[in-house]
Amino acid sequence: MVEDAMGSAGFVMDRVIGIDLGTTNSCVAIFEGSAPAVIPNRGGYQTTPSIVAFADGGKRLVGHIAKRQAVTNSDNTVHGAKRLIGRRFGTPEVRKMAETVAYEVVRGPEDEARIQAGGRSYTVQEISAFILMEMKRIAEDYLGEEVRKAVITVPAYFNDAQRQATKDAGKVAGLEVIRIINEPTAAALAYGFEKKINRNIAVFDLGGGTFDISVLSVGDGVFEVLSTSGDTFLGGMDFDNRLIDHLADAFHAQHGIDLREDRIALQRLKEAAENAKCDLSFKKAVDVTLPFIASKENVPIHLQQEVTRTLLESLVSDLVDRTIEICRATLENAGFTPSDVDEVVMVGGQTRAPLVQRRVEDYFAKPLSKGINPDEVVALGAAIQGYALQDESVDALLLDVTPTSLGIQTAGGGYSVIIKRNTTIPVQRTVPFTTVHDAQAAVKIVVMQGESPRAGENQHLGDFMLSDIRPAPKGVPDIAVSFSIDADGIVNVTARDRDTGREQKITVTVSGGLSEDDLARMMDERREYEVAERRDEDVQRVIYGVESLHAQIMEILPAAEPSIGSDRLHSVMKSLAEAKRSVSQRDVRELVHNRGQLQQIFESLQSVREAR
């Protein structure tokens, strides 16, 4: 363990975990020895459902335990939150999401999308932080030490707001996020790590909520992203929704009842549709059966319908077509054709669908690489990157790209791109601009991100004023605007009047919807929750000890009873009753006292039994 944590200079490094924060499932990995490894959760599963639920009494549930109670507590069970992170309320994507979930999506104070559950509204960063806290806990249970640092992956096509919101979620979870990296890049890193290959790789990443395609050149330990694109609202959830709508429409046509209007029925339908979709990856047909899904005139109605793979593929064919269209555009941006790609790596659970595999294989005209687990490879790549950032001797250099263009607003509502999308980062670009009015003394630099030629259709990142420009006719002043992006994706913008030397600049750190006060409050709440949770775990350990001793005493008592007399038996039974009462009351002091009493009784009865 000590050797694994030593850097090339011989000093002990902090352990860095790699986290794939997924829409449907999340995964955590660590670099140990000479390779990365996925860390299983307490149930022994390699991945954990990205689900958070709020039970009675405010108790928070995360992962499999949250998923198991989703039907009976649908209003307070949050899934798919990643689709909402960094998004504004009222956008088409948020409206679409709100229509397909049982919980309520509401408008926050800063116009951001929030989630109403458990009697209060939560920012999406908080919900994501609860999942990240579970990943952190899984790693700490495995390592036996506190984990402070993490590399977290995001879809390649996430914008700055979504990336910063993810980083904020990590901070709320008590993690120092030392790098945010793109999911396809992480997958390529895991796939090519320590392999002596020189190849062009396409990473096709279709997960639960997002789709990405990245084209990389891999060779001599260098992983260079040439082009990336995607759709942050295209994934397995959309496949599920197509089947949900089909089943609900068929039920409505037969019985006149829309199951989507009943939240519990909708949640049952969601689970059945997701299970059917997964089963159809290796079966030709499945029966979807949901007894007592509704009632009409006090008569229970059951849903029973056969779903074939052919039917499912007809429902989702256009979604798969959309992924191929994005692949085509991404290859063109890289100056590639499908024949220039040596290997196609499939990432994300939805890539198990036979239709997806057939279409991708047909487009690239070559067999797909299937030597990796699509659910785990992204976390493994994040763990490698985390280790590489700590130990310079690791032979893995990532050259990633900025997924969207950056520029400034120009006169008349135009948009001038300064750094084009798919430019390798870190990067710096300088472009000359001038004034649009005679004797103009100041210019406002409005920093934008996006691909539309109209500024209003792009994302506003920030703005600042460059003042005290030398009076001159319009078009004469020479103003140099410089953009730089570092390896962490932080954007710096500088405007300089070359005539006077006057300069102004801004560091664009998109808020992600959280103020410093919000972050501080959430971190305080996390610490309070952790203290309360540790206290509850301590109580549970004492309760377990009391209950275990109670069971052992009841087991040996019949054999010892003839030898201890009625008075002693009465005393034992009284102590057992007091122990049971302390368990129900959860009084720590009483529990500890009764545990000690039961331990003495157990040892005494054991001695009596052995003496016989």
Side-chain angles (χ1 to χ4, degrees), residues 551-574:
Q552 291 175 43
I553 291 169
M554 292 299 293
E555 184 179 344
I556 66 174
L557 188 57
E561 186 176 341
S563 304
I564 63 175
S566 60
D567 289 345
R568 177 64 175 150
L569 176 62
H570 177 74
S571 175
V572 168
M573 297 305 296
K574 182 180 178 182

Side-chain angles (χ1 to χ4, degrees), residues 6 15 22 76 92 108 197 270 291 308 335 342 368 417 425 434 443 466 532 557 582 609:
M6 298 290 286
R15 304 301 291 269
N76 298 308
I197 58 174
K270 279 180 179 296
T308 64
D342 299 309
L368 307 177
V417 172
I425 56 175
T434 188
V443 292
L466 176 63
L557 188 57
S582 69
R609 188 175 65 172

Side-chain angles (χ1 to χ4, degrees), residues 39-284:
I39 302 175
N41 61 28
R42 292 176 178 179
Y45 299 99
Q46 302 291 88
T47 62
T48 300
S50 300
I51 299 176
V52 177
F54 302 92
D56 292 340
K59 185 172 179 59
R60 194 164 71 218
L61 311 173
V62 180
H64 288 92
I65 190 171
K67 186 174 184 177
R68 283 194 287 269
Q69 54 83 74
V71 170
T72 56
N73 187 29
S74 57
D75 290 9
N76 298 308
T77 301
V78 181
H79 56 89
K82 180 176 175 178
R83 281 196 156 185
L84 297 170
I85 199 164
R87 293 190 186 272
R88 294 295 181 185
F89 184 85
T91 61
E93 294 84 2
V94 172
R95 287 197 299 271
K96 180 181 177 182
M97 183 72 177
E99 291 170 358
T100 59
V101 294
Y103 57 86
E104 191 175 356
V105 181
V106 298
R107 186 192 301 270
E110 299 297 323
D111 203 36
E112 81 279 12
R114 289 199 175 195
I115 291 168
Q116 185 75 31
R120 56 165 281 193
S121 75
Y122 292 89
T123 66
V124 185
Q125 291 92 324
E126 284 178 283
I127 298 295
S128 299
F130 299 154
I131 299 168
L132 291 173
M133 286 168 65
E134 184 68 13
M135 297 297 102
K136 182 176 185 285
R137 184 214 301 268
I138 290 169
E140 290 175 339
D141 286 349
Y142 174 80
L143 296 170
E145 61 186 68
E146 184 181 1
V147 172
R148 300 181 183 88
K149 295 182 178 182
V151 170
I152 302 177
T153 63
V154 296
Y157 218 56
F158 257 22
N159 61 30
D160 280 356
Q162 292 167 308
R163 290 168 188 270
Q164 186 60 49
T166 303
K167 201 165 187 177
D168 286 347
K171 190 173 183 180
V172 173
L175 290 166
E176 178 190 346
V177 183
I178 63 173
R179 186 64 55 86
I180 294 284
I181 66 169
N182 294 336
E183 290 164 3
T185 309
L189 182 57
Y191 175 77
F193 183 66
E194 291 197 333
K195 291 181 182 177
K196 303 302 181 182
I197 58 174
N198 287 274
R199 309 178 74 82
N200 294 323
I201 296 175
V203 180
F204 184 99
D205 184 356
L206 183 60
T210 61
F211 169 68
D212 287 305
I213 173 72
S214 291
V215 180
L216 301 94
S217 174
V218 179
D220 300 323
V222 177
F223 297 77
E224 181 182 5
V225 180
L226 304 176
S227 179
T228 191
S229 190
D231 188 331
T232 57
F233 224 84
L234 173 60
M237 290 180 67
D238 301 292
F239 288 63
D240 297 345
N241 289 335
R242 292 291 177 86
L243 185 52
I244 290 167
D245 286 338
H246 171 79
L247 294 170
D249 289 343
F251 191 86
H252 183 265
Q254 184 178 359
H255 301 289
I257 299 172
D258 191 346
L259 297 175
R260 288 161 294 204
E261 295 178 356
D262 182 328
R263 292 193 171 188
I264 292 180
L266 176 61
Q267 185 60 40
R268 292 180 66 191
L269 196 59
K270 279 180 179 296
E271 290 191 3
E274 183 182 356
N275 291 336
K277 179 196 72 175
C278 294
D279 289 345
L280 288 170
S281 291
F282 57 90
K283 294 180 179 180
K284 295 290 186 181

Side-chain angles (χ1 to χ4, degrees), residues 320-352:
V320 182
D321 288 344
R322 170 71 177 139
T323 68
I324 301 302
E325 291 169 10
I326 296 173
C327 286
R328 186 175 290 110
T330 307
L331 287 185
E332 289 176 0
N333 288 336
F336 276 27
T337 64
S339 62
D340 294 319
V341 174
D342 299 309
E343 293 190 54
V344 182
V345 178
M346 303 294 278
V347 178
Q350 194 57 53
T351 61
R352 290 188 172 91

